[in-house]
Amino acid sequence: MGWKTDWLYILVFGLVHDLWAETNHFAEQMTEQNRLQAPQANLDALRVYQCEEADLTKGFCQKPILHEWVYDGSVFTEGVPEEARRQKQQHNSHPFAVLPTSQEIRGTLFTEGMVWFYITVDRKHVLFTYQVGPRFGRRMKYRVEGQEQSGRLALERHCWIS
C-alpha cells in the first residue's frame, strides 16, 4: 500500500491541508486588520518530512528522514529528502529534525513552512510537528482511533506550542 492510498497517511496529509488553510487564513486576517506594517504573505509551500524515529515523551521527530513531500495548497509532490542527502554527506550529531537556518521570512511567516511527522510501528500514535514562522509552531501527539474508513486522529496532547 503506497502513501497515496494508505488511510493513515491520508489522515496525516489532512492535518497538513488543515494547517495550510489555517495559516493562510491567519495571514489574510492579519493583512485585512492592518496589524502588520507590511502585507503578510501566504505560505509558498509546506515541506513535509516523515521521520524514521521520534521521542514520543518529549514530542520530537528524529532523524533520519524517510520521505519528503512539498505541498503547495493543492498537490503533494514527493521528493528526495534533502535532510537525508545532507546526512549522508556529513555527520550531524543533532538527533532532532530541525529547521534549516536559511529560512526566508515574510511578515510573521516563513515562505516555506515545515512539517515533521512520525507514525509508530504499531500505527497507534502519530507525532505531528510544524513550524510556519519564527513564533508559530506546535508539536502534537495523536492517538489513532479505528481503522480504514472509520479511522481518525484524536489529539492526545500538545507537546509544545509557540
Side-chain angles (χ1 to χ4, degrees):
M1 182 180 309
W3 64 271
K4 290 182 181 181
T5 57
D6 184 304
W7 63 272
L8 190 48
Y9 281 81
I10 291 169
L11 293 176
V12 170
F13 290 141
L15 293 175
V16 174
H17 173 78
D18 293 347
L19 172 61
W20 175 273
E22 290 169 17
T23 302
N24 286 326
H25 179 71
F26 164 79
E28 290 166 7
Q29 280 185 320
M30 294 301 285
T31 299
E32 287 172 11
Q33 294 173 6
N34 243 353
R35 291 189 182 172
L36 301 173
Q37 293 176 351
Q40 174 67 52
N42 290 348
L43 290 170
D44 291 341
L46 285 171
R47 292 201 167 271
V48 182
Y49 301 99
Q50 181 182 10
C51 297
E52 185 174 354
E53 300 174 13
D55 181 333
L56 295 175
T57 57
K58 293 180 181 175
F60 281 103
C61 289
Q62 295 176 293
K63 299 173 184 176
I65 304 297
L66 291 174
H67 302 284
E68 175 187 321
W69 298 267
V70 176
Y71 183 61
D72 66 1
S74 60
V75 176
F76 286 91
T77 304
E78 191 169 18
V80 177
E82 291 177 27
E83 188 63 32
R85 282 195 301 265
R86 271 187 254 130
Q87 282 182 21
K88 289 177 184 175
Q89 293 173 355
Q90 64 185 22
H91 278 276
N92 186 345
S93 61
H94 195 288
F96 303 115
V98 295
L99 282 171
T101 56
S102 62
Q103 273 286 39
E104 182 183 338
I105 300 170
R106 279 192 307 233
T108 57
L109 299 175
F110 295 128
T111 55
E112 290 187 348
M114 309 290 277
V115 175
W116 301 269
F117 71 93
Y118 169 75
I119 299 172
T120 59
V121 176
D122 62 9
R123 295 171 60 99
K124 292 185 178 181
H125 289 93
V126 171
L127 188 62
F128 187 82
T129 302
Y130 68 84
Q131 189 80 35
V132 293
R135 296 188 180 113
F136 297 99
R138 290 192 179 179
R139 288 194 301 261
M140 298 166 285
K141 183 179 177 186
Y142 288 90
R143 182 178 56 259
V144 179
E145 296 180 344
Q147 297 212 3
E148 303 290 332
Q149 267 64 23
S150 68
R152 70 180 198 94
L153 296 175
L155 181 63
E156 192 169 286
R157 69 183 175 99
H158 282 95
C159 304
W160 170 76
I161 299 174
S162 171

